[in-house]
Amino acid sequence: MRDYTSECFEKVYRPTDLIAMTTDAGVTDITLHNLLNTLGLTDEQVKENLCLSYLYDGDEIDISEIRNNQTDEVYWKDNGGPWSSIDETLMDSLLMWGEIE
């Protein structure tokens, strides 16, 4: 498991900030809030800003967790193990269209 306590960066997503998601029909715009809900990681009650914690590993970005910026409740965390299709969908959307810099 990686140690994300040092050199971490954060990006905050408001409930109106759009990213995108690849579907069978192509690419569709979606908010991170709705994506997490669609993937079953949250419910529709999450209205606060979301905070994405990440670090750089050479030229790559490693996302460590996604949490509620107000309550600090963690909705997704990289546990260092094999990823599910939910993890893959979430990471693909964020890394391709999440404008993480």
Side-chain angles (χ1 to χ4, degrees):
M1 184 195 293
R2 291 187 176 109
D3 176 17
Y4 289 106
T5 57
S6 62
E7 301 181 45
C8 267
F9 299 90
E10 295 183 337
K11 177 168 175 133
V12 174
Y13 292 87
R14 298 176 307 221
T16 55
D17 291 340
L18 292 176
I19 59 173
M21 175 182 169
T22 303
T23 66
D24 292 338
V27 177
T28 184
D29 286 336
I30 191 169
T31 66
L32 179 56
H33 291 69
N34 287 339
L35 178 59
L36 290 174
N37 184 261
T38 298
L39 296 173
L41 299 171
T42 64
D43 59 34
E44 295 177 2
Q45 302 302 315
V46 178
K47 304 293 184 206
E48 296 84 16
N49 290 345
L50 298 174
C51 185
L52 180 124
S53 296
Y54 64 97
L55 59 87
Y56 290 97
D57 183 8
D59 291 339
E60 296 183 14
I61 294 174
D62 288 333
I63 298 172
S64 59
E65 72 177 20
I66 301 168
R67 70 179 183 283
N68 185 308
N69 205 35
Q70 183 175 347
T71 67
D72 284 331
E73 181 178 356
V74 176
Y75 301 121
W76 183 89
K77 185 173 184 134
D78 181 0
N79 293 316
W83 280 6
S84 69
S85 61
I86 290 172
D87 298 327
E88 292 289 341
T89 300
L90 180 60
M91 292 303 104
D92 287 348
S93 293
L94 285 167
L95 293 173
M96 298 222 13
W97 296 289
E99 297 182 12
I100 304 168
E101 303 181 42

